[in-house]
Amino acid sequence: MFIDLDNFKTVNDTLGHDLGDSLLQKVSKRIQGCVGTGDTAARLGGDEFVLLIAGADRSAASAMARRLVAALSEPHLIDDHEIRATASIGVSLYPQDGLDRHALMKSADAAMYRAKGAGRNTFRFFSEA
């Protein structure tokens, strides 16, 4: 899964980078709260995160993506500011969407852009189309 926060630049531009950094820390904790013990969550940089869900099929990935969308859209209280930080999530599945991490990340990234195009605060699976 490739996770990108929606409109994160606006948070940094209007409330400052310190608050943006605090938001990223809170988002990271929420992501960690959604994943299982055998899963891997990492921040790539900026407001981009990637998840590796071991052995997940389409149904399990859908359930995880729904949990993430719900958890991340809950408001964050930071320095007396209530911030809503939604996320767009792209999902790719092994082996049909890629045989190595590079191909899977590229597919998940493309799917994430489809989620943004669908109105944000949602997820999409990779599709060859």
Side-chain angles (χ1 to χ4, degrees):
M1 293 185 183
F2 199 101
I3 302 170
D4 187 79
L5 296 183
D6 299 325
N7 303 310
F8 179 71
K9 183 179 180 327
T10 303
V11 172
N12 274 339
D13 290 349
T14 59
L15 299 174
H17 291 272
D18 288 343
L19 195 136
D21 288 346
S22 294
L23 176 61
L24 289 172
Q25 291 171 2
K26 288 186 176 279
V27 165
S28 177
K29 287 180 182 174
R30 287 201 187 165
I31 290 171
Q32 290 172 350
C34 289
V35 299
T37 56
D39 303 329
T40 301
R43 178 174 169 229
L44 292 180
D47 63 334
E48 297 176 333
F49 296 84
V50 67
L51 298 180
L52 174 62
I53 316 294
D57 61 8
R58 189 175 181 93
S59 176
S62 290
M64 172 65 76
R66 279 193 288 280
R67 279 195 307 276
L68 287 163
V69 166
L72 295 176
S73 65
E74 290 294 318
H76 300 269
L77 185 60
I78 304 171
D79 296 340
D80 297 326
H81 296 279
E82 185 177 286
I83 301 171
R84 294 191 181 270
T86 62
S88 296
I89 302 173
V91 183
S92 62
L93 298 172
Y94 175 84
Q96 60 265 36
D97 300 329
L99 296 176
D100 61 36
R101 65 185 167 100
H102 297 291
L104 286 168
M105 283 183 59
K106 183 178 176 183
S107 296
D109 188 38
M112 182 271 301
Y113 279 103
R114 285 190 51 233
K116 285 196 178 289
R120 303 175 191 265
N121 195 32
T122 191
F123 68 94
R124 290 292 184 265
F125 280 87
F126 176 75
S127 168
E128 285 290 331

